[in-house]
Amino acid sequence: MVLADGWDPNSKASNTDSIVNTRHNMTMSYLGGASVNMDSARNDYAEVCVYCHTPHGANSTIGAPLWNRTNPGTSYTVYNKPLTSGQTASAPGVNSLICLSCHDGTVAIDSIINMPNRPGSKSYDPTQQTAQNDAFLSSWPDNSPIMHAKLSDCLLCHTSTNPFAPDFTAFLIGTDLRDDHPVGVSLPDTTIYDFNPTTGTAGNLSFYDTNSNGRADSNELRFYNSGQGYEVECASCHNPHGTPVNSAPVNGKHGGPLIPSFLRVKDQSTLCLTCHNK
């Protein structure tokens, strides 16, 4: 069973406490010993963060924090339906491209620039910034995948017709964004159109400061300014690290269940009505 928002309630990932227990943990350590079943499809770097981030030698072609993934400059077909405000969607910004680097299905899950150090092996390839080099990826010594799978390759097994693997169809967005909520569009003039004004601004963020603390918390929707004004991006509604269901600390610490589908707001009507005044 896969719900409309793409969350599979039968996932082996518990979706609690941190990214380690979510599907964004590409080591799949939450499977225990069964994680080796995926060793034929991707390098197991044995580190959760490295599939996206690196402390040194980060990708200089994209303005994402310490970004470790390949950024090939993919072109996208953007949303082309009439918008209430008469706007047209522009190309995805940085805070969409980081999500699409996996979810458009054009780059391997393990295609990174800086692999963890292993004695006697090359761990860094700057050409990986813009082009996937399978020879470099295959030099990883810890396991020997038969392919460096893209998300599109995952659908060879992860489909609704295979009872032995969870269905990943909803996770593959592709490069045609015409059937997805538009990104690269700014919040319309809220004095004219049926949208709610944001209530906080910090750096390149304009956000709905629901608790009035002046900070863009993980459970607050936001618009990103990547140089063309504040715009909707994938990360406006989704938090790739996971957002706790309970925004307040429990027993003195944050944790517990995370909101499904990496959403920032649990209730989907509340999610929509944060921006849309209907």
Side-chain angles (χ1 to χ4, degrees), residues 74-207:
T74 303
S75 296
Y76 297 93
T77 303
V78 300
Y79 188 88
N80 63 352
K81 305 296 189 299
L83 298 174
T84 303
S85 59
Q87 297 183 73
T88 56
S90 61
V94 170
N95 292 284
S96 293
L97 292 175
I98 56 176
C99 302
L100 290 167
S101 72
C102 277
H103 288 276
D104 70 9
T106 66
V107 178
I109 299 299
D110 60 358
S111 186
I112 63 175
I113 301 163
N114 195 7
M115 298 190 290
N117 287 326
R118 292 294 184 270
S121 65
K122 179 182 178 182
S123 62
Y124 178 71
D125 182 359
T127 68
Q128 277 279 120
Q129 291 189 90
T130 56
Q132 180 177 320
N133 180 352
D134 282 357
F136 168 69
L137 297 178
S138 295
S139 70
W140 175 249
D142 287 15
N143 66 294
S144 301
I146 59 175
M147 66 186 303
H148 298 285
K150 307 174 180 68
L151 186 52
S152 51
D153 297 319
C154 297
L155 297 190
L156 294 172
C157 296
H158 290 272
T159 65
S160 60
T161 58
N162 184 356
F164 303 105
D167 183 6
F168 284 4
T169 305
F171 307 146
L172 179 62
I173 294 174
T175 59
D176 187 344
L177 309 181
R178 289 176 295 179
D179 60 350
D180 301 292
H181 187 289
V183 295
V185 292
S186 59
L187 179 67
D189 186 338
T190 59
T191 65
I192 301 174
Y193 301 104
D194 293 335
F195 290 85
N196 297 312
T198 55
T199 54
T201 303
N204 71 333
L205 297 176
S206 181
F207 58 98

